[in-house]
Every structure is written in C-alpha cells, then in structure tokens.
Amino acid sequence: MTSTAPPTLPGHQAGEDPPSWQHRMRRFGHVVRPRTGLRERLVPPYAGPSRQLWRVLGIPPLWAARLVRWSAWAGPLLVTLVAGILRFWHLGSPHAVIFDETYYAKDAWALINHGYEGDWPKDIDKSILANPGLIPVPTAPGYVVHPPVGKYVIGIGEKMFGFTPFGWRFMVAVLGTLSVLLICRIGRRLFRSTFLGCLAGTLLAVDGLHFVMSRTALLDTVLMFFVVAAFGCLLVDRDRTRARLAAALPEDEDGRLRPDAEIAARLRFGWRPWRIAAGLMLGLACATKWNGLYILVFFCVMAVLWDAGARRTAGAVSPYRAVLRRDAPWAFLSTVPVAVVTYMVTWAGWFLTDKGYGRHWADGRAGLSPDHIKLPVIGTVSHLPQFDMSWVPASLRSFWHYETEVYSFHVGLTEGHTYQSNPWSWMVDGRPVSYYYESPSPGTGGCPSGAGAKCASEVLALGTPLLWWAGCFALLYVLWRWMFRRDWRAGAIACGIGAGYLPWFLYQERTIFYFYAVVFVPFLCLAVAMMIGAIIGPPQGARGAAALAEPGLAAGERRRAVGAIGAGVLVLLIIWNFIYFWPIYTGTPIPLDAWRGRMWLDSWV
C-alpha cells in the first residue's frame, strides 16, 4: 500500500506544517499579520529613526540615532516652552477678579497666611484690586466646600507675587504648562513614538479650555495636573513591571522569550514605588476636589487589569486568580491607604488651628453617630441606629461632621445658573462659560478708536471647536479599537476620559459646568493623536506599538503620503482655530461684529 503526500501550496515546502487559514486566504487578498515576539509584546520597542528621512537630510546613521535619543526630551521641552509662553503672556490680564476667582483667590490668601479659610466681607474685590497690600486677612473662619490643596497651590503664587491677578494665577499657569510636558512624555511612552507624544502635547497646548483654565485661579486645572501625573506614574509602573516579568521568563536556544505558566502565575513584582507615587498623586487630586475619588476608582481598576494582562501574556493559565493572590492586595495598599493618608495630611492646617470652620463642633457634644444621613438620589434616611463614638477624638468627629455637611451641599446644589450645562453637551462645546465680559467704548480700554461701535472683551472657557469635534470621532475610534482590537492603549485613554466624564451623568439635577471637562481634556488630546497616527499609518518596517493603524503592518508610501497630508491639514486647522479664538480666550477687546463672528453657536452667547 502506497501513501501519497498531500499536494503543497505555492510557497509551502514539503515536510512543513500546513499553512494556517490566514495564509490560505492570501489568494483572496487577506494580509497576514506578522507575529510579534513575546519580548516585544511585554516591552514594546520605541519607533526607530526613519532611514529614508535621514538619508534625504544627509545625516549619518550614528548622528540620526543620537538625534532620535535627544528628541525624547528636546521635543517635549520645546512644545512645553511654546505652551508656557502662551499661558504666561499677559497673565495678569484682565486685571479683574473673574468668575470663581472671587472665592478661590481669597480663600487661598487666607489659607496660606492663617492655615484656614477666612470669612471675607462682600463686595471687597474692587478694594483688593486697588490696594491689595492694605486689605487685612480676616480672622473669622469661612465656610468652604472644597478641600485645601488647590487653594494651597494658588496661595503659593500669591505668596511669591502678591495678592494680585498675576499672583493668584501664577501657580495654576505653572501646572497647566507642566501638564503639557507630562502629556508629551505620556504620549511618547504610550505610543512608543516621540512624534505622536509631542503631537498630543501640541494639541493640549492649543486647546482653548485648557488654555483659559491655565490662566484662571480655579481648582480644576490643579485637579487635572494631579490626575495626569497619577496616570503617568501608573504607566511607568506598567512598563517596569512588564520588563521585570520579561526578565524572569526563560529563553529558547535562539534567544527568543518563551511563556511559562508557573513563572507568570507566581512571580512577585516586589517593590513598586511608581504605584505608591500614583497613590500620592490621587490623594492630592481628591484633596483638591472630591471628584478625584471617582478617578481613583477608575485608575485602580485599570492598574489591576494591566497586571492581569501582563500575566496572561507571559503564559498564566488563570491570570485574574494570580492577580487576586499576588497583586491586588498590594495594589490596594499602595494606592488607597496612601491616598487617604495624603488627604488627611492636607487638612493639617485645619486640625492645628483653633479657628477653622466647624473645628470645635464636637466639643461638649455626646459622642453619638448622627441619626440621619443624606444619600445621593435616594434622599434622606432618618432614624438610623446610633452608636457610641465617644472614643473618637472630638477633632475627628468635628471633621467628619464638616465633611458630611460639604457632601450634602454638593449633592443638593440644584440652584440654576446662566452658564450651567448638561454633560451630554460637553463634547460638542454646547455651552461654554463666560468668565469675564466688558464692552469698552472706542478709544478706551484697548478698544480700537476706529471700531465705530463698542468693543467686546471676553474670557470664554471654550474648547478649541475643531479639536473637540475631531475628539468626538477620536473617542469613537479608541472605543472601537479597545473593544474590537483589544488595544490596551485605547483602553487606557478611554479610562482617562471616562474617569473625568462619566461620573457627572450621575448628577443630572446638580448645577454643573462645562469647564469641569478640563480634567479629561489631556486624554482627549491623546485620543486625537492616536487617531491621527492611524490616519498617517505606520512607516515601512514599523514594529510593535509604533504601528497604530495596524500593528506590525506597513502602509504603502502613497497611502502614507495621503494620510500625512490629511493629518497635517487637520492639525493646522486646529492650530488656526485656536489662533482665531485667541481674542475671546484672553479678553482682548475686538469690534462687536468680530466678536459676533466668533459666536458660532447660539448657545455660546
């Protein structure tokens, strides 16, 4: 009996394993994605220099490699320099107390001088602007509804440059500028591309909402900075943990990394200082505004999922079980308790002084728990059983009472406001917030003498429209890429946006404002940068995470040229859009007709 060997397909040698179905489909136009090695999947390489570009520029390969290495910091620093110049240019203008600066600038001045917020007289803003050095700091405590860190940050600038508009905006501008640097570096690490990292930072530098908020003494920019810093710390921790896992895995005779179920499931990652740093940043975020608590939850879940993904990639059979045994307890201890301790430490001024608001509420009171507590949405639950709390120090009971009052204020804030908006409208710039508006006559207040009619001088907290409208498509793209391509980078960006955006949908009846969205603007810029990377396509020979359109596949030169032109036009239009709206971002007086021309939507007025 003779045996007949099966016929071989073109390009397939006898004796080899039969080709997979993907290879069989090549005749119908299917493109087989090259398999990425385990080492590259655990620790993706950074995009290398384009040989063709350096050859055209006449730069030798050695110098090209050095320039690429130097650009990892030179590029982000250059983008940050431009962002800083924009944000510090005439930072003290307008010379006025704009929007909620009337609260935070004065609270910061009292806090930095006395350790607690004071009860300021009404209608004192004009006196502060006229003679800031002659205004006494009130000693009577004032009722405030936000933790102290953001006001401490604002107060540092006031201590350095005085109780003036420049002084109370200085540190906010510093953090706004530094957040651009962080996004450049985060984008580079996330995409393994210096170009895309700098692109994300550039988009953030020219976003109108981020720009205005970086020049205004409000708390949200401070919160945004700590959130971005926490995300960056977790990203560094992810890279270092996966590198440690890769170093522990065995290699075959060809030096290729091989998965190992035992090592992947049992390896302990040890000391993780970057995760502790993330806990510190998240604690400072919560100590700036309470919505940092939602971001803490989102980021902790994301970090645990990253650990599970690393163990699965390394060969763990039950990665989630391994994470619950090896990683989750330490992940909790290195973030949540650190954040709680950080939050409590920031209230040291209130505890150490005898004059903070509500500081002695529990003195002389029975140590009983309250018999009612207000819950969001549900209402007020009364007649709960009481417990003896006399063993708790009076200062802590006073603090807890103060916090419950603040919580009741926040969930019960339903008073209408001219510029309030629903979060459904945020992504399309539905209802921006006017921080400042004046109508100087021609020849006065900076209004050109030939204006004919009055001018408009406005500071409008409005995201650069073309950037935000492109961000709507970018958000859909990252969600698609996360759900259908299992791209962890898209999932991380979606987590950052969701952490700052989704919780506000729980408070539909509350008075909320569009400028709260500044917390997730950096992640929106990362999403747009990722979408632009996909439009351009990976270069010939791109490897690993640098290939954004289809990892591992190289786009044709013609396709890349068309994509680069389209992406370049989009970026230039966004920059032009920012320049066009510059006058209403900075309060520059312009003729009324020019101001009306910039009111693209009726809801902006």
Side-chain angles (χ1 to χ4, degrees):
M1 183 176 181
T2 60
S3 61
T4 304
T8 59
L9 295 176
H12 177 66
Q13 302 296 324
E16 294 181 354
D17 293 334
S20 63
W21 67 268
Q22 294 98 330
H23 285 79
R24 294 179 186 275
M25 292 295 292
R26 290 177 65 179
R27 67 187 67 180
F28 302 106
H30 176 75
V31 179
V32 181
R33 298 180 186 177
R35 293 181 62 86
T36 305
L38 179 57
R39 191 184 306 277
E40 285 73 23
R41 281 185 287 148
L42 283 174
V43 188
Y46 285 86
S50 173
R51 296 180 180 179
Q52 184 176 358
L53 174 63
W54 299 122
R55 192 180 302 114
V56 171
L57 296 176
I59 300 177
L62 179 61
W63 276 101
R66 289 179 178 176
L67 288 175
V68 169
R69 186 169 62 252
W70 294 339
S71 68
W73 275 104
L77 287 174
L78 180 61
V79 174
T80 305
L81 176 63
V82 174
I85 292 174
L86 293 175
R87 279 149 180 77
F88 281 94
W89 183 263
H90 290 170
L91 181 60
S93 178
H95 187 76
V97 180
I98 64 176
F99 202 61
D100 280 355
E101 285 185 342
T102 188
Y103 304 115
Y104 304 126
K106 291 181 289 190
D107 287 343
W109 186 241
L111 191 65
I112 205 72
N113 282 282
H114 290 331
Y116 61 93
E117 294 88 346
D119 185 16
W120 291 86
K122 294 182 179 180
D123 303 324
I124 198 174
D125 292 349
K126 292 183 179 180
S127 300
I128 293 174
L129 294 172
N131 297 292
L134 301 179
I135 304 299
V137 182
T139 57
Y143 174 67
V144 295
V145 294
H146 290 296
V149 164
K151 289 166 281 188
Y152 273 123
V153 170
I154 295 171
I156 292 173
E158 292 174 332
K159 203 69 173 177
M160 295 169 61
F161 299 101
F163 195 27
T164 64
F166 181 87
W168 60 64
R169 295 170 190 163
F170 176 79
M171 283 302 299
V172 179
V174 169
L175 296 190
T177 302
L178 290 179
S179 66
V180 174
L181 176 62
L182 288 179
I183 285 299
C184 288
R185 294 289 298 177
I186 286 172
R188 179 180 183 271
R189 184 175 291 272
L190 194 67
F191 304 130
R192 291 305 197 256
S193 167
T194 301
F195 167 73
L196 290 180
C198 291
L199 175 61
T202 300
L203 294 175
L204 185 61
V206 298
D207 174 62
L209 180 61
H210 186 275
F211 174 78
V212 171
M213 294 297 290
S214 297
R215 292 168 53 89
T216 310
L218 270 64
L219 305 180
D220 300 83
T221 303
V222 182
L223 170 64
M224 176 272 304
F225 173 81
F226 290 129
V227 169
V228 171
F231 184 85
C233 291
L234 290 175
L235 195 60
V236 174
D237 173 75
R238 181 186 186 274
D239 278 358
R240 295 198 172 192
T241 300
R242 293 170 76 92
R244 193 174 302 168
L245 185 57
L249 292 175
E251 297 180 351
D252 60 16
E253 59 275 6
D254 296 325
R256 291 176 299 186
L257 214 59
R258 309 302 300 175
D260 188 293
E262 185 73 14
I263 294 176
R266 295 184 176 276
L267 180 68
R268 295 186 181 275
F269 293 135
W271 175 248
R272 301 175 72 167
W274 285 100
R275 182 165 283 183
I276 297 175
L280 174 64
M281 293 296 107
L282 290 170
L284 292 174
C286 295
T288 301
K289 293 188 76 172
W290 275 8
N291 51 313
L293 180 62
Y294 290 106
I295 296 163
L296 170 66
V297 174
F298 273 75
F299 281 10
C300 286
V301 172
M302 178 183 68
V304 171
L305 292 178
W306 282 354
D307 286 345
R311 292 189 181 274
R312 182 195 303 112
T313 301
V317 178
S318 301
Y320 289 100
R321 182 182 301 175
V323 165
L324 289 175
R325 290 180 176 178
R326 299 282 188 268
D327 304 322
W330 295 110
F332 175 83
L333 292 175
S334 59
T335 51
V336 177
V338 171
V340 171
V341 170
T342 301
Y343 180 84
M344 294 301 297
V345 169
T346 63
W347 282 91
W350 186 88
F351 281 103
L352 294 176
T353 183
D354 288 332
K355 295 184 178 180
Y357 182 87
R359 174 64 177 79
H360 298 286
W361 175 85
D363 294 354
R365 292 177 179 266
L368 296 176
S369 62
D371 62 350
H372 70 278
I373 181 171
K374 189 171 183 180
L375 301 176
V377 182
I378 300 174
T380 301
V381 179
S382 300
H383 307 299
L384 295 178
Q386 292 188 324
F387 302 95
D388 181 13
M389 303 295 290
S390 58
W391 57 273
V392 178
S395 60
L396 288 178
R397 284 188 280 126
S398 298
F399 178 72
W400 176 252
H401 176 263
Y402 187 11
E403 297 290 87
T404 57
E405 279 194 343
V406 170
Y407 176 77
S408 298
F409 169 85
H410 283 300
V411 298
L413 183 61
T414 57
E415 183 180 353
H417 192 282
T418 304
Y419 290 104
Q420 71 182 65
S421 62
N422 192 285
W424 287 108
S425 68
W426 291 358
M427 290 300 299
V428 293
D429 281 348
R431 183 57 170 164
V433 182
S434 180
Y435 285 174
Y436 169 85
Y437 186 88
E438 293 288 342
S439 299
S441 300
T444 63
C447 181
S449 57
K454 286 187 175 182
C455 287
S457 174
E458 183 175 30
V459 176
L460 187 66
L462 169 71
T464 303
L466 292 185
L467 173 60
W468 279 74
W469 296 342
C472 295
F473 295 97
L475 179 58
L476 294 176
Y477 171 72
V478 297
L479 289 174
W480 169 81
R481 191 159 190 87
W482 173 47
M483 290 187 291
F484 295 101
R485 294 298 179 87
R486 293 293 185 261
D487 192 327
W488 73 271
R489 300 163 300 172
I493 294 172
C495 178
I497 296 175
Y501 188 25
L502 293 180
W504 292 111
F505 287 94
L506 300 175
Y507 303 96
Q508 292 289 310
E509 301 300 324
R510 188 188 187 276
T511 306
I512 55 179
F513 300 92
Y514 165 68
F515 66 81
Y516 296 167
V518 74
V519 176
F520 66 82
V521 165
F523 301 98
L524 190 68
C525 293
L526 288 171
V528 175
M530 187 174 188
M531 182 181 70
I532 289 176
I535 292 173
I536 297 174
Q540 296 287 346
R543 299 185 304 164
L548 285 176
E550 292 292 340
L553 294 180
E557 290 301 320
R558 181 176 299 178
R559 183 253 184 262
R560 275 182 55 79
V562 174
I565 292 173
V569 169
L570 174 60
V571 173
L572 290 176
L573 284 175
I574 290 172
I575 295 175
W576 165 82
N577 203 204
F578 173 76
I579 296 172
Y580 177 72
F581 283 103
W582 173 273
I584 64 172
Y585 290 148
T586 59
T588 302
I590 55 176
L592 201 57
D593 288 340
W595 175 83
R596 291 195 184 101
R598 288 165 172 80
M599 297 296 106
W600 286 2
L601 301 179
D602 293 340
S603 59
W604 291 3
V605 180

